[in-house]
Amino acid sequence: MASSGVRRTISTERPRSGETRQVLVVAATSALRDVGFAGASAREIARRAGCNQSQVFYHFGSVVELLLAALDEVSASRMAAYRSVLDQATTLTGLVESAQTILTEDLDSGYVTVLVEMISGAQSVPGLGDQVAQRLVPWKAFAEEAVKRALGAAPLGPLVPAGEAAHAIVAGLLGLELLANLDGDRTQAIALFGRARMLVGLLELTGALPGMSAPGQP
Amino acid sequence: MASSGVRRTISTERPRSGETRQVLVVAATSALRDVGFAGASAREIARRAGCNQSQVFYHFGSVVELLLAALDEVSASRMAAYRSVLDQATTLTGLVESAQTILTEDLDSGYVTVLVEMISGAQSVPGLGDQVAQRLVPWKAFAEEAVKRALGAAPLGPLVPAGEAAHAIVAGLLGLELLANLDGDRTQAIALFGRARMLVGLLELTGALPGMSAPGQP
DNA sequence: GTCTATACTTGGATAGAC
DNA sequence: GTCTATCCAAGTATAGAC
């Protein structure tokens, strides 16, 4: 051994290094989406991951820790997508269009559901609320930045503080997801995205909304 | 016996008729609010009600049925309050002011949390989603009526279909509650209510919003 | 790292005494 | 109607073999 010079074959050989861990995270995500927080047990998740229930505890210590890891991953992946959209947008209409696309994607994939279930489930587990709240901070900050850039030098910008608007936007999305999941019907949420797009276009025409400010300069 | 002529003393004497049932409903409400759907077990609820766990099944057949009964009661009581506000309002500003008061009340009492927990918890129990969705129908209808009366003959009314607006409002409130419960901080939600009130006042001044239409005539 | 087996806990639900 | 006792299912978590 050790002839090939590849480190991973030397001594700490890991048959499927980190693979199960990752599979469990994916399974946890799908469980949160399909059967909710109350249904996302170690056994349910392991079943979806195709491995034994004990792996949950070996890799994550507890079910809640695994669920938080799933939230982290979804959050990071989605944040990257949104960040990219925001940074590439040059016009407000363009931004809203891109946002609509990515938002619909979220709705279809159930990514926001993961967050919603963790928030509502946090009520049942002492201490979980803080953990989830921490992970929401970057999203609030992101929404605030987006609002600042979108409103930019808008004449009635001061009427709507970015912080408040960001809170409203996050709340609105969570609520839409909640309702969409309830009846498995996303058309109403999607219709609202379209409506927002239309209204923004209209406001832009009237001159109430100027162009966007550049990235990094809210 | 049967001398007094009062029916309830004849034969089917019920020591504390219907009392436990009602206490259980109240306990279920508080459990949903404090420990969420996942924590609202028969034992937890019975503990709060000060009775034995078996009473849940005697009176309601199952935990879920009890939770639905709690949702029904909260829903009916709150609907009456909102209905009264809407019917008594004559000006839009007055309506928004009253709505702010009652909404803050909901936030403080955690009534909306009951709904939020039932919606998110519905993911875990097959068939529960439909039950909860049914109970949401009157609220959507109510919100739609409110929007119609508020926008009334507004010049830009056609730009915002009442159905869509109602959906957005319900979603927004649910989302605000979700966030408020997470960090136990209702100030941001309350600030938004104040902001809405200010904006409506402003729009009324500019003439973009006319007076309200009368009750029953959206 | 992964599995089996197992200990322990909690929860849903029912039977039967009062 | 209410309680005690009890059964059974499901869940968390750990120990130990491979």
Side-chain angles (χ1 to χ4, degrees), chain B residues 39 42 53 65 80 101 153 191 200:
Chain B
Q53 165 251 146
E65 284 300 315
T101 304
V200 165

Side-chain angles (χ1 to χ4, degrees), chain B residues 2-25:
Chain B
S3 63
S4 72
V6 179
R7 285 223 186 88
R8 47 185 274 278
T9 62
I10 297 186
S11 66
T12 55
E13 190 189 27
R14 289 171 197 171
R16 294 191 268 152
S17 80
E19 195 179 302
T20 295
R21 196 186 157 90
Q22 181 56 24
V23 171
L24 278 172
V25 170

Side-chain angles (χ1 to χ4, degrees), chain B residues 87 145 148-153 211-218:
Chain B
D87 286 348
E145 184 195 330
K148 278 181 183 158
R149 280 201 56 208
L151 288 188
M212 283 181 65
S213 53
Q217 297 164 10

Side-chain angles (χ1 to χ4, degrees), chain B residues 20 51-52 54-55 58-59:
Chain B
T20 295
C51 73
N52 190 274
S54 63
Q55 298 306 304
Y58 175 78
H59 287 287

Side-chain angles (χ1 to χ4, degrees), chain B:
Chain B
M1 59 174 164
S3 63
S4 72
V6 179
R7 285 223 186 88
R8 47 185 274 278
T9 62
I10 297 186
S11 66
T12 55
E13 190 189 27
R14 289 171 197 171
R16 294 191 268 152
S17 80
E19 195 179 302
T20 295
R21 196 186 157 90
Q22 181 56 24
V23 171
L24 278 172
V25 170
V26 173
T29 302
S30 88
L32 276 174
R33 188 186 48 209
D34 295 346
V35 295
F37 183 89
S41 67
R43 288 178 156 91
E44 172 67 27
I45 295 170
R47 195 181 59 73
R48 288 165 184 262
C51 73
N52 190 274
Q53 165 251 146
S54 63
Q55 298 306 304
V56 169
F57 304 96
Y58 175 78
H59 287 287
F60 298 91
S62 74
V63 176
V64 168
E65 284 300 315
L66 168 53
L67 296 179
L68 282 172
L71 177 57
D72 278 333
E73 215 205 39
V74 167
S75 190
S77 130
R78 291 279 89 190
M79 179 64 88
Y82 280 94
R83 164 68 50 199
S84 155
V85 161
L86 179 59
D87 286 348
Q88 284 172 14
T90 55
T91 71
L92 190 49
T93 304
L95 176 65
V96 174
E97 272 176 29
S98 303
Q100 185 182 12
T101 304
I102 203 170
L103 238 28
T104 306
E105 207 177 290
D106 279 351
L107 226 49
D108 286 335
S109 60
Y111 285 136
V112 188
T113 302
V114 172
L115 181 55
V116 168
E117 286 295 325
M118 288 299 285
I119 295 178
S120 57
Q123 300 290 318
S124 324
V125 182
L128 183 54
D130 291 335
Q131 297 287 319
V132 177
Q134 273 180 31
R135 286 154 172 89
L136 215 59
V137 172
W139 286 102
K140 286 185 183 173
F142 176 82
E144 192 168 334
E145 184 195 330
V147 169
K148 278 181 183 158
R149 280 201 56 208
L151 288 188
L156 27 77
L159 282 183
V160 188
E164 277 184 23
H167 192 78
I169 287 176
V170 172
L173 290 178
L174 294 177
L176 285 179
E177 179 84 4
L178 214 44
L179 290 178
N181 274 26
L182 184 61
D183 41 20
D185 177 22
R186 304 184 159 77
T187 55
Q188 290 196 271
I190 292 174
L192 276 171
F193 296 157
R195 182 71 46 187
R197 187 174 149 186
M198 193 208 77
L199 289 175
V200 165
L202 218 64
L203 285 174
E204 231 171 6
L205 280 181
T206 65
L209 292 173
M212 283 181 65
S213 53
Q217 297 164 10

Side-chain angles (χ1 to χ4, degrees), chain A residues 133-159:
Chain A
Q134 274 180 30
R135 286 155 172 87
L136 214 60
V137 171
W139 286 102
K140 287 185 182 172
F142 176 81
E144 193 169 330
E145 184 194 330
V147 170
K148 278 182 183 158
R149 281 199 57 205
L151 288 188
L156 26 77
L159 282 182

Side-chain angles (χ1 to χ4, degrees), chain A residues 67-93:
Chain A
L67 296 179
L68 282 172
L71 177 56
D72 278 334
E73 214 204 40
V74 168
S75 190
S77 129
R78 291 279 89 192
M79 179 64 87
Y82 281 94
R83 164 68 50 198
S84 154
V85 161
L86 180 59
D87 286 348
Q88 284 172 13
T90 55
T91 71
L92 190 49
T93 304

